[in-house]
């Protein structure tokens, strides 16, 4: 029986592990993939206090090592459910069941898909959800980025240094992401803005060759030749496996406030998978601290 099981080894889960271990609780962190969460795809973090520049991978590795050194146990299995037996909970993974007093769900989110034909088939053959992972394959080639948030803007800026041309396709004429990045993109001669438009078709032979883009206002379509399409249209919280037990909002986020407390006593939510206004590295880490503090109190009392 662990005191606390943490589901997810992103910044929220890892920070929770550090806090819970410092409170002398036994801690198991379950992770489906590798530690770090989505931050490992960020080439340069500039907005986390202390380090003016640090790569997402280096950041995640340091926090992972810090949690390990404090005695947190890590098992790389996907959690597929939680059973609530009152004071004791069971976290069910694809391989095992782990008993504990308190659970912190820090599962983050996954890439939203465009949902158009051939999208899945062309992943790795022209379609990518990670510019920093795959951008180097498109040196001096033509690429498009779809989306209007900070991820799309930063991806476009990153790709502008590598690719011959970057088309930035957004479904509105105003960006959701930061003006600073929009202004930086406007300085780049190889970045072409395609407003009020969505990608409606993917044309491919063995690999992606071009995309059809439809203007939402006029209904007109144009075909843009590209070697790569980087999809950055937001993320979907990974809470489906816990939906029977935990209350979610209509978008699938866990209904937990700044105290990270869910509808089930002893189960907490931390990071991007809960309802919140600011989804940043620093707020994910803050959630980890808050959720762990609550979980420690619960585990001590049961
Ligand atoms: P996001 O802010 O939710 O933006 C998603 C974008 O995709 C929006 O512009 C949205 O359009 C568009 N979109 C959604 N569904 C679409 C569809 N089916 N077809 C076409 N376009 C679609 O997501 P994000 O950019 O991944 O950012 C997530 C969070 O992380 C944000 O809070 C962001 O600020 C943060 N972030 C921060 C940094 C940083 O601080 N350096 C870097 C990256 C991300 P609409 O605008 O019309 O809704």
């Amino acid at each position: 029986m662990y005191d606390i099981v943490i589901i997810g080894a992103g910044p929220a889960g890892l920070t929770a592990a550090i806090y819970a271990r410092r409170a002398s609780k036994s801690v198991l962190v379950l992770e489906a993939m590798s530690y770090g969460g989505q931050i490992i795809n960020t080439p340069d973090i500039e907005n986390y206090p202390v380090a003016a520049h640090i790569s997402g991978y280096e950041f995640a590795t340091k926090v992972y090592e810090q949690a390990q050194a404090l005695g947190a146990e890590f098992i790389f299995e996907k959690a597929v459910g939680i059973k609530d037996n009152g004071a004791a909970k069971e976290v069910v993974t694809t391989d095992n069941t782990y008993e504990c007093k308190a659970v912190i769900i820090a599962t983050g989110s996954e890439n939203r898909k465009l949902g158009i034909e051939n999208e899945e088939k062309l992943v790795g053959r022209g379609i990518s959800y990670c510019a920093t992972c795959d951008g180097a394959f498109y040196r001096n080639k033509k690429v498009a980025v779809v989306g209007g948030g900070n991820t799309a803007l930063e991806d476009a800026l990153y790709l502008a240094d590598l690719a011959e041309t970057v088309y930035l396709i957004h479904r509105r004429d105003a960006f959701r992401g930061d003006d600073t990045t929009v202004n930086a993109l406007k300085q780049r001669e190889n970045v072409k803005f395609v407003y009020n438009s969505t990608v409606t078709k993917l044309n491919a032979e063995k690999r992606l060759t071009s995309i059809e883009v439809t203007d939402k206002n006029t209904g007109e379509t144009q075909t843009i030749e590209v070697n790569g399409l980087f999809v950055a249209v937001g993320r979907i919280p990974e809470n489906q496996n816990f939906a029977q037990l935990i209350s979610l909002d209509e978008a699938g986020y866990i209904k937990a406030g700044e105290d990270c407390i869910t509808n089930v006593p002893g189960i907490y939510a931390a990071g991007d998978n809960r309802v919140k206004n600011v989804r940043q590295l620093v707020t994910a880490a803050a959630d980890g601290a808050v959720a762990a503090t609550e979980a420690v109190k619960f585990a001590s009392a049961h």
Side-chain angles (χ1 to χ4, degrees), residues 47 148-151 154 170-172 176 233-234 279-280:
N47 56 6
N150 277 320
T151 303
E154 290 181 11
H170 181 34
R171 65 184 179 183
R172 293 188 291 131
R176 185 177 290 273
V233 295
R279 291 198 172 86
Q280 294 285 301

Side-chain angles (χ1 to χ4, degrees), residues 38 42 47 112-114 146-152 154 169-172 174-178 197-198 232-235 272 277-280:
Q38 62 168 310
T42 298
N47 56 6
R112 178 179 288 121
K113 312 284 185 295
L114 288 175
V146 57
N150 277 320
T151 303
E154 290 181 11
I169 300 162
H170 181 34
R171 65 184 179 183
R172 293 188 291 131
F175 287 102
R176 185 177 290 273
D178 295 348
S197 298
T198 52
V233 295
R235 304 185 63 87
D272 281 6
N277 291 327
V278 184
R279 291 198 172 86
Q280 294 285 301

Side-chain angles (χ1 to χ4, degrees), residues 254-265 267-269 274 294:
I254 294 177
K255 284 186 185 171
E258 292 300 315
D259 55 12
C260 298
I261 293 173
T262 71
N263 58 308
V264 180
I267 303 185
Y268 307 91
R274 78 166 177 89
E294 291 296 332

Side-chain angles (χ1 to χ4, degrees), residues 245-299:
L245 187 62
I246 306 294
S247 298
L248 310 180
D249 73 1
E250 58 289 345
Y253 291 96
I254 294 177
K255 284 186 185 171
E258 292 300 315
D259 55 12
C260 298
I261 293 173
T262 71
N263 58 308
V264 180
I267 303 185
Y268 307 91
D272 281 6
N273 63 338
R274 78 166 177 89
V275 173
K276 56 157 74 182
N277 291 327
V278 184
R279 291 198 172 86
Q280 294 285 301
L281 184 53
V282 72
T283 58
D287 270 17
V290 174
T293 305
E294 291 296 332
V296 165
K297 267 195 269 174
F298 187 90

